[in-house]
Amino acid sequence: MGNFTFLENRWSDLARLGELSEKYIYSDPNTSVIKQGMLAEVMVKYMLAYDGIKEPDYDNTHASRIRLLKRNDLLPHEIDNTLYILRKDRNNAAHNGADEGEKALDNLPLLYELCVWYMQTYGDYGYNPIGYVPPVNITISMDELEKENRELEERNKMLLVELQRIQKVGKSDNARRAIAYKKAMNIKLSEAQTRELIDEQLRKVGWDADTDKIRYSKGVRPAKGKNLAIAEWPTDSRTGNSGYADYALFIGEKMVGIIEAKKKYTNISSVLDGQCKEYARMIKAEHQKYLLKPYSEYKVPFLFATNGRDYIKQYEEMSGIWFLDTRQQFNTSKALAGWPSPQGMEQDLERDIAEADRKLAATGYELLEDSNGLGLRYYQVEAVKAAEKAIAERKNTVLLAMATGTGKTRTVLGMIYRFLSAKRFKRILYLVDRIALGDQTIDTFKEVKLEDLKTLNQLYDIKDFGKKEFEKDTRVHIATVQSLVKRIVYNESDVSIGVSDYDCIIVDEAHRGYILDKEMDEDEMLYRNQDDFRSKYRAVIDYFDAVKIALTATPALHTTQIFGKPVYSYDYRTAVVDGYLVDHDAPHIIRTKLSEEGIVFEAGSTAPIYDPVTNTVINSDELEDDLKFEVEDFNKKVVTKSFNETVLAEIARDIDPNKLCRCTSQYVG
């Protein structure tokens, strides 16, 4: 009895592919790896069908179908990782002629766990697996393999008909989604499989990484012009894997980082404090030529530890990419949401934060206050000063509260100019939630004269949200939140943004887009996707390892939970007293019978319906139940001519035709 026979009653084709994966694992491991990948591919097709999702019309590949499940929030992170490993290894076995003997044995238990998850999610919620048993070694002839491949081709023809049948009645199910995320926590990757994921993550942000090929034992060494993640780098340490660091990161010929990779359930923060620090102290004498300089007891500036698991706040020490900057003794380790790029890391090494803070403190604000230039008002300058003070005190989040109409964009312009001229930040991301706001910002940057009669965009390289990529010399990037959500939360490209690509994030209208984190109970913490508990907006903000400066007119609770209490506030009332804003009139409340009682059509009657296409009024069918429209529905769902005439007549009573006036009347129900 094989490991995959439990699938037979519901999915005989999956059971057969599982059987073949076991059958060839010793005699022809490449065939086993290919069959494992085929099983995963067929499974994904079933998943789409059960959830009522049509396969892509264009580029209908296994990778595209997986992305489709992800976009519909139907693929837990652990399952996505598992599918990636099986797909990648299958491609290597099929197209690159790779010797996959070790991969076949390593991946078969992972395939078994995937199939158990699939049964518990799409078959029997209560299925209790008996556990994986290593298959016995049997000899298979080539004739038998060819015969079995022909059988599989015939099964595939019938599969299409079966999938179409399921797809017609399939639909997404919230209960099934909850089970999927809960059971996915049972998937356990080996250390080697975790490294496959890390390889891919590092490649996406610009590192050359391949645990099998780019490794010290195969003669790979640092080289000019290359950003290498060299696996199994030897040190004089005797901890862990005989002193071999899982990866050493090199920018050119300089060692900039050490990475230690562990299995999923390892306490990552302790690994960073233990093995990583030891490796960074114990660099071999023959490798001293690769070092930048000593940092107290350490010889490498950046240390990382990970188990490949997404960062989850509730399990902070067991997830994320734990990071320590050894350059300052007061630095403490912290969890990152992603990897830094070589470019971001290089710019981080070039920065002298202490010197930049001294320069900012010594530079006056006359240029910002110049009436022939930016012409900031007193409160705008105070806001800039407050932000700089908070940053000098090493605060990573700064909130500025300024009433609408008091010039937040010009304040930001002055702030950005001072940060860049003092070299306090290398790259600034200015986040807006609407393209129109981005256009306004760009216009301001192009119009206002600063230094030597030059505008900000003439002094520094600035790219707008139309430019998805920008060069090393770019200093300010203006982007919409939506574009960043697509590139970070739903990234489908081969390139990712590094967490250190920006060292300062400025968030305009910071109260928009946020949703309060939902309360997690103990079970939810274990299985729900992190995206269920925080908005995509916040996922973008949290992604970057950067100073975050937020501006808002309304510092609501959900804003202060992210950025803290405002370090500076300039409220509406103060702006009115100062004469920078004009006070509004008291509202004129108009009450009518319709606004008080609404409009009701009783059951059995008909409602007149206006057809804007034919410009005619027709009657509805007899109403099965009462139909009521509240005042909020007026002129949205129901036309109320008499109500509008009454309200307008009342408003007209307060209008003096001989002078301009601001009308602030409103009606309420």
Side-chain angles (χ1 to χ4, degrees):
M1 182 177 178
N3 284 297
F4 300 92
T5 53
F6 69 92
L7 299 169
E8 180 66 38
N9 289 338
R10 296 175 185 268
W11 305 283
S12 61
D13 45 357
L14 297 183
R16 180 58 171 158
L17 285 167
E19 178 189 346
L20 295 177
S21 298
E22 289 182 300
K23 192 174 182 180
Y24 290 94
I25 197 165
Y26 298 109
S27 61
D28 189 351
N30 274 33
T31 293
S32 174
V33 169
I34 291 171
K35 301 305 182 191
Q36 291 173 24
M38 290 174 65
L39 191 160
E41 181 174 1
V42 174
M43 181 185 293
V44 166
K45 291 184 175 184
Y46 271 119
M47 290 164 65
L48 285 170
Y50 282 121
D51 284 304
I53 300 173
K54 186 176 179 294
E55 292 186 18
D57 293 323
Y58 172 74
D59 189 31
N60 188 9
T61 62
H62 184 32
S64 294
R65 291 188 286 270
I66 291 173
R67 286 196 293 268
L68 191 53
L69 285 170
K70 288 169 66 175
R71 283 200 298 270
N72 285 276
D73 288 329
L74 295 169
L75 203 62
H77 180 70
E78 292 82 0
I79 304 304
D80 185 24
N81 286 341
T82 301
L83 292 173
Y84 167 78
I85 291 167
L86 296 173
R87 179 171 62 87
K88 173 181 171 288
D89 292 345
R90 172 194 176 183
N91 289 340
N92 283 338
H95 304 301
N96 302 328
D99 182 5
E100 299 288 9
E102 189 174 332
K103 292 284 177 64
L105 284 167
D106 201 24
N107 288 357
L108 193 63
L110 183 64
L111 180 70
Y112 170 77
E113 290 180 357
L114 175 67
C115 290
V116 169
W117 170 86
Y118 178 71
M119 170 63 85
Q120 292 171 333
T121 303
Y122 290 89
D124 179 4
Y125 289 173
Y127 176 70
N128 188 23
I130 60 174
Y132 174 79
V133 178
V136 297
N137 191 352
I138 57 176
T139 303
I140 309 296
S141 68
M142 288 301 297
D143 289 341
E144 192 170 353
L145 173 60
E146 290 175 3
K147 177 184 176 183
E148 288 165 343
N149 283 336
R150 288 194 298 270
E151 290 177 357
L152 285 176
E153 289 178 7
E154 291 300 317
R155 285 174 179 263
N156 281 337
K157 293 177 183 177
M158 295 187 295
L159 174 63
L160 180 60
V161 177
E162 175 66 5
L163 290 174
Q164 289 175 341
R165 182 191 67 78
I166 296 173
Q167 204 272 335
K168 287 180 181 178
V169 297
K171 64 178 181 179
S172 184
D173 186 314
N174 288 333
R176 181 165 65 225
R177 182 184 283 109
I179 288 289
Y181 280 100
K182 183 175 183 178
K183 296 298 184 182
M185 293 295 293
N186 296 325
I187 300 287
K188 298 179 179 64
L189 301 183
S190 67
E191 193 166 312
Q193 290 161 344
T194 300
R195 285 209 211 175
E196 286 190 64
L197 297 177
I198 295 171
D199 283 351
E200 175 69 2
Q201 293 165 1
L202 290 172
R203 282 194 294 267
K204 282 191 170 187
V205 295
W207 299 96
D208 289 334
D210 188 322
T211 304
D212 295 329
K213 298 176 182 177
I214 304 176
R215 56 193 302 142
Y216 188 89
S217 61
K218 293 192 175 181
V220 179
R221 298 294 182 271
K224 290 182 179 179
K226 292 188 176 181
N227 302 313
L228 297 175
I230 301 178
E232 298 298 320
W233 187 268
T235 71
D236 283 334
S237 171
R238 287 294 173 263
T239 63
N241 182 23
S242 300
Y244 285 86
D246 286 330
Y247 300 85
L249 298 178
F250 291 87
I251 297 176
E253 295 180 313
K254 296 302 178 184
M255 182 185 292
V256 295
I258 293 287
I259 299 175
E260 190 63 18
K262 292 298 181 184
K263 294 187 214 179
K264 179 176 177 179
Y265 289 100
T266 305
N267 185 312
I268 297 303
S269 64
S270 64
V271 172
L272 184 70
D273 289 334
Q275 281 179 258
C276 273
K277 287 183 176 180
E278 178 72 4
Y279 293 151
R281 295 186 191 102
M282 305 293 288
I283 301 299
K284 287 181 172 293
E286 63 263 35
H287 297 151
Q288 299 293 315
K289 60 185 177 182
Y290 299 130
L291 302 181
L292 289 165
K293 63 178 182 179
Y295 305 97
S296 185
E297 61 188 303
Y298 304 107
K299 299 176 182 178
V300 183
F302 302 128
L303 308 181
F304 303 89
T306 184
N307 57 7
R309 186 179 185 184
D310 272 358
Y311 174 68
I312 302 174
K313 178 67 176 175
Q314 285 73 14
Y315 289 90
E316 192 166 55
E317 295 183 348
M318 305 285 287
S319 65
I321 299 164
W322 276 79
F323 165 69
L324 176 65
D325 182 343
T326 68
R327 293 175 297 167
Q328 299 291 338
Q329 291 185 356
F330 58 76
N331 286 343
T332 58
S333 57
K334 59 184 176 182
L336 303 179
W339 294 98
S341 67
Q343 294 76 20
M345 192 179 287
E346 190 172 26
Q347 290 197 338
D348 198 5
L349 288 167
E350 291 171 356
R351 280 194 304 160
D352 187 337
I353 292 176
E355 175 58 29
D357 284 340
R358 283 192 293 269
K359 185 174 180 180
L360 274 175
T363 304
Y365 296 86
E366 295 80 11
L367 187 63
L368 302 190
E369 296 169 325
D370 187 349
S371 59
N372 294 319
L374 190 54
L376 291 190
R377 299 164 180 166
Y378 82 90
Y379 63 85
Q380 294 169 316
V381 173
E382 287 182 354
V384 174
K385 289 179 180 178
E388 291 178 1
K389 181 176 182 293
I391 292 168
E393 293 170 351
R394 298 293 183 266
K395 291 184 179 178
N396 286 324
T397 57
V398 178
L399 181 61
L400 301 175
M402 298 174 65
T404 301
T406 55
K408 289 192 289 293
T409 301
R410 293 177 78 88
T411 304
V412 167
L413 173 56
M415 193 185 305
I416 289 175
Y417 168 74
R418 285 178 58 83
F419 287 153
L420 294 179
S421 60
K423 297 183 179 179
R424 179 57 177 84
F425 297 113
K426 292 285 187 177
R427 279 183 173 176
I428 297 175
L429 172 64
Y430 188 66
L431 268 184
V432 297
D433 71 336
R434 287 172 291 162
I435 291 177
L437 291 177
D439 289 336
Q440 293 172 18
T441 303
I442 284 287
D443 290 342
T444 303
F445 287 2
K446 288 179 179 179
E447 292 169 2
V448 179
K449 299 292 191 293
L450 290 167
E451 181 182 329
D452 298 328
L453 298 179
K454 291 182 179 179
T455 61
L456 189 67
N457 71 305
Q458 291 172 330
L459 292 168
Y460 301 102
D461 184 27
I462 297 175
K463 295 287 193 301
D464 64 18
F465 40 79
K467 308 291 185 182
K468 293 185 178 180
E469 308 294 340
F470 59 91
E471 300 76 27
K472 181 179 178 180
D473 292 333
T474 297
R475 290 293 172 257
V476 182
H477 190 192
I478 300 172
T480 61
V481 174
Q482 292 83 348
S483 69
L484 269 295
V485 168
K486 185 175 181 181
R487 297 190 65 200
I488 292 172
V489 180
Y490 295 119
N491 184 27
E492 297 177 358
S493 71
D494 294 328
V495 178
S496 295
I497 299 174
V499 294
S500 60
D501 280 358
Y502 306 100
D503 48 3
C504 178
I505 315 294
I506 297 177
V507 186
D508 192 19
E509 303 291 355
H511 59 281
R512 297 182 186 271
Y514 295 117
I515 301 173
L516 283 173
D517 288 358
K518 297 178 183 177
E519 293 294 327
M520 288 188 183
D521 62 34
E522 188 173 349
D523 288 335
E524 286 178 321
M525 281 190 232
L526 291 175
Y527 68 84
R528 289 294 298 274
N529 187 320
Q530 183 79 349
D531 291 340
D532 288 340
F533 302 99
R534 64 181 186 184
S535 72
K536 305 299 187 295
Y537 200 134
R538 182 166 184 179
V540 168
I541 304 300
D542 289 347
Y543 179 78
F544 294 103
D545 182 28
V547 171
K548 289 129 188 181
I549 302 171
L551 295 98
T552 182
T554 54
L557 173 62
H558 50 269
T559 310
T560 57
Q561 283 183 333
I562 299 169
F563 299 105
K565 297 293 184 182
V567 299
Y568 180 77
S569 296
Y570 187 69
D571 60 25
Y572 172 82
R573 183 54 52 195
T574 304
V576 170
V577 172
D578 285 345
Y580 294 121
L581 292 180
V582 179
D583 201 5
H584 60 74
D585 293 332
H588 184 173
I589 301 174
I590 302 171
R591 300 185 184 277
T592 71
K593 184 177 181 180
L594 283 181
S595 69
E596 295 284 342
E597 299 179 2
I599 299 174
V600 179
F601 293 91
E602 296 180 353
S605 65
T606 61
I609 300 175
Y610 171 67
D611 187 339
V613 177
T614 61
N615 196 30
T616 59
V617 175
I618 58 176
N619 285 330
S620 67
D621 293 332
E622 289 189 3
L623 299 175
E624 296 181 1
D625 200 353
D626 290 351
L627 178 63
K628 182 174 183 178
F629 296 98
E630 305 291 350
V631 66
E632 291 82 5
D633 296 321
F634 290 8
N635 298 314
K636 294 178 181 177
K637 297 180 180 179
V638 60
V639 179
T640 55
K641 183 178 178 181
S642 61
F643 175 82
N644 293 340
E645 290 175 343
T646 302
V647 169
L648 291 173
E650 182 65 20
I651 291 173
R653 288 161 57 91
D654 291 329
I655 298 177
D656 185 343
N658 297 315
K659 66 177 182 179
L660 295 175
C661 83
R662 301 183 317 278
C663 179
T664 57
S665 297
Q666 69 180 44
Y667 56 83
V668 296

